[in-house]
Amino acid sequence: MKILVTDQSGVEHELEGLDGWRTMEVIRDWGLNIKAECGGACSCATCHVYVEDGWFEKLPDPSDDEEDLLYSTLDKKPNSRLSCQILLSEELDGMRVTLAPSAAKDSEAA
Amino acid sequence: MSNEIVTDVVIIGAGPVGLFAVFELGLLDVKCHLIDILDRPGGQCAELYPEKPIYDIPGFPMVTGQGLTDNLMQQIAPFGPEFHFSRMVTKLEKLEDGTFRLETDADEVFLCKVVVVAAGGGSFQPKRPPVEGIEQYENKSVFYAVRKMDDFRDQDVVIVGGGDSALDWTLNLQPIVRSLTLVHRRDAFKAAPASVNKMKELVMEGKINFLMGQIGKLDGKDGQIDHVHIAMDSGDTPLPATRLLPFFGLTMKLGPVADWGLELNDNLITVDTAKFESSVPGIFAIGDINHYPGKLKLILSGFHEAALMAQAAKAVVSPGERVVFQYTTSSTKLQKKLGVV
């Protein structure tokens, strides 16, 4: 299973994903610039990604907690999600996401 | 005049690893003071996932972040650690005699023989809400914490957020303000139910206002706000306000650690794996903040690091003294220190 992740500098990376992993974990494991400071507890918003059209609609709706956190970021867009809340499955094979500026390790925005 | 505290060891960070370091140092009769930017012990365990189950602490099939913190506090109680909460270490310098001098933003000075940095991901700082130009009002009319209640007396206060901080300060400030409006983007709160009920009562009694919406722009000049714009379903609503308290949670920043002259690797303190000592002798780093080949950011790794660090720190605190390695299961001496015999 693959996911395609565009980093903050615009470079696209094809990452090997695993069924049941969180998208955040895959991005972090491959060493891209993601802060993910709470480690997947849905309590920080530093794994913020934009999910490409077509894939965004496939995702289950965000929880109220996730929405609250997304609203706390400076760079929220209509297709924003926290990547720790996107569990990978065969259905998401080939999903394209872009890392938000506020997910960067040195981001002031987060 | 600064308050001066003299001790063997200062531990920067009161998360699980900093707390367990008190235990390991305590067994060796080394006395500790701990400094943390949060207002309570536990670090990330307390701030980010108090209710979350942790499954990889040896001997605990499951424990929550708060549960682990509570257990550690109980475990280290016999050693009488002294805590200094809600302050940040701003300065750390090595003196000519090899001891250390630390300063905090609460105007304290610590003098010690050993410094243990157990600062995890850095210091928790309030998140700046997504409002353009908010910086110019910060610490003048926009605050991320209440340091002095008097700053809010007879003011028109707007509090934003749906968590315990927002609710607690709504209840605490209400009696002294001129007006108070609580703003949250939905009508559900992540706070103690008793606080939520009390807040709702105050709204019913007309003592405070509640608006469902998000903060937009701020109006004002010279650092003083006069209106906070709230984006509501009904449109943009300008609200007269002289104080704004946004509670958008906390985020971790490395902070002053970067300025202490320690060798860093990608914002982590480089240490050896025998003593967990940094590039500056006498300054140790344990837990998530350190880096060495094979490092895993696990609480259990931090516990191991604390045990080895303690042996090396003891040698610095009491040079020349022979350290006899003992087990708590069999040593009456250790059991006496723990207060169990």
Side-chain angles (χ1 to χ4, degrees), chain B residues 161-194:
Chain B
D164 277 312
S165 302
L167 270 290
D168 288 351
W169 284 115
T170 296
L171 302 182
N172 289 336
L173 291 175
Q174 182 272 324
I176 65 163
V177 298
R178 192 162 75 155
S179 74
L180 193 149
T181 305
L182 176 65
V183 177
H184 185 42
R185 45 173 296 276
R186 57 194 169 94
D187 192 14
F189 299 87
K190 255 177 88 178

Side-chain angles (χ1 to χ4, degrees), chain A residues 35 43 65 72:
Chain A
K35 195 173 182 190
S43 54
D65 283 352
S72 77

Side-chain angles (χ1 to χ4, degrees), chain B:
Chain B
M1 173 86 187
S2 296
N3 182 10
E4 203 172 89
I5 294 160
V6 182
T7 181
D8 290 335
V9 173
V10 169
I11 300 172
I12 302 171
V17 174
L19 294 176
F20 192 64
V22 172
F23 184 87
E24 290 295 335
L25 288 161
L27 290 179
L28 303 172
D29 300 310
V30 178
K31 172 91 184 143
C32 304
H33 282 249
L34 298 96
I35 304 172
D36 200 289
I37 196 154
L38 295 178
D39 60 3
R40 61 199 186 285
Q44 289 184 48
C45 284
E47 177 60 34
L48 290 179
Y49 46 87
E51 311 296 333
K52 277 249 166 187
I54 309 171
Y55 299 104
D56 62 352
I57 306 296
F60 288 91
M62 193 288 273
V63 63
T64 62
Q66 191 56 50
L68 178 65
T69 304
D70 294 344
N71 284 348
L72 284 163
M73 288 297 282
Q74 191 188 336
Q75 193 169 21
I76 67 175
F79 303 111
E82 289 183 51
F83 291 95
H84 307 267
F85 290 120
S86 305
R87 57 256 282 148
M88 181 161 75
V89 176
T90 48
K91 211 172 154 192
L92 165 59
E93 55 180 340
K94 191 165 191 168
L95 304 177
E96 268 178 26
D97 65 357
T99 63
F100 297 94
R101 185 176 184 279
L102 296 89
E103 282 177 27
T104 71
D105 59 358
D107 203 26
E108 292 149 326
V109 171
F110 290 81
L111 300 170
C112 60
K113 296 172 183 164
V114 163
V115 175
V116 179
V117 186
S123 49
F124 279 103
Q125 313 267 338
K127 275 194 208 175
R128 183 174 276 159
V131 175
E132 230 181 276
I134 193 167
E135 299 90 336
Q136 59 183 299
Y137 301 105
E138 286 173 355
N139 300 317
K140 292 178 184 140
S141 54
V142 174
F143 297 90
Y144 297 111
V146 178
R147 295 237 181 216
K148 284 198 308 251
M149 297 257 290
D150 238 23
D151 288 339
F152 297 84
R153 189 176 298 278
D154 301 322
Q155 301 288 331
D156 295 308
V157 180
V158 173
I159 294 179
V160 188
D164 277 312
S165 302
L167 270 290
D168 288 351
W169 284 115
T170 296
L171 302 182
N172 289 336
L173 291 175
Q174 182 272 324
I176 65 163
V177 298
R178 192 162 75 155
S179 74
L180 193 149
T181 305
L182 176 65
V183 177
H184 185 42
R185 45 173 296 276
R186 57 194 169 94
D187 192 14
F189 299 87
K190 255 177 88 178
S195 311
V196 176
N197 290 339
K198 185 85 182 72
M199 180 275 293
K200 286 182 175 164
E201 278 171 32
L202 291 172
V203 173
M204 296 281 279
E205 292 164 14
K207 290 181 176 164
I208 62 169
N209 296 310
F210 170 69
L211 293 180
M212 203 155 49
Q214 295 165 56
I215 45 169
K217 79 184 175 74
L218 304 176
D219 294 338
K221 63 174 182 189
D222 301 331
Q224 177 56 57
I225 54 166
D226 52 52
H227 283 84
V228 175
H229 289 256
I230 311 294
M232 298 174 48
D233 284 346
S234 54
D236 176 70
T237 310
L239 203 63
T242 56
R243 291 285 182 271
L244 174 65
L245 271 169
F247 292 108
F248 279 68
L250 302 175
T251 184
M252 285 179 282
K253 301 269 156 76
L254 182 62
V257 176
D259 309 325
W260 296 340
L262 307 174
E263 189 187 310
L264 300 179
N265 179 319
D266 199 10
N267 278 344
L268 299 167
I269 301 171
T270 309
V271 293
D272 68 274
T273 51
K275 300 174 172 178
F276 298 94
E277 196 167 34
S278 74
S279 59
V280 176
I283 302 181
F284 298 81
I286 55 176
D288 283 2
I289 195 126
N290 75 11
H291 175 79
Y292 53 84
K295 169 73 181 182
L296 284 180
K297 286 191 183 185
L298 291 175
I299 292 171
L300 76 93
S301 306
F303 288 167
H304 159 78
E305 294 160 19
L308 268 63
M309 172 282 295
Q311 297 288 323
K314 170 71 177 175
V316 178
V317 171
S318 317
E321 193 178 309
R322 197 166 153 254
V323 178
V324 182
F325 180 72
Q326 294 171 300
Y327 291 104
T328 54
T329 39
S330 53
S331 161
T332 350
K333 243 179 154 175
L334 295 188
Q335 289 166 358
K336 271 189 187 141
K337 291 177 195 178
L338 291 166
V340 291
V341 288

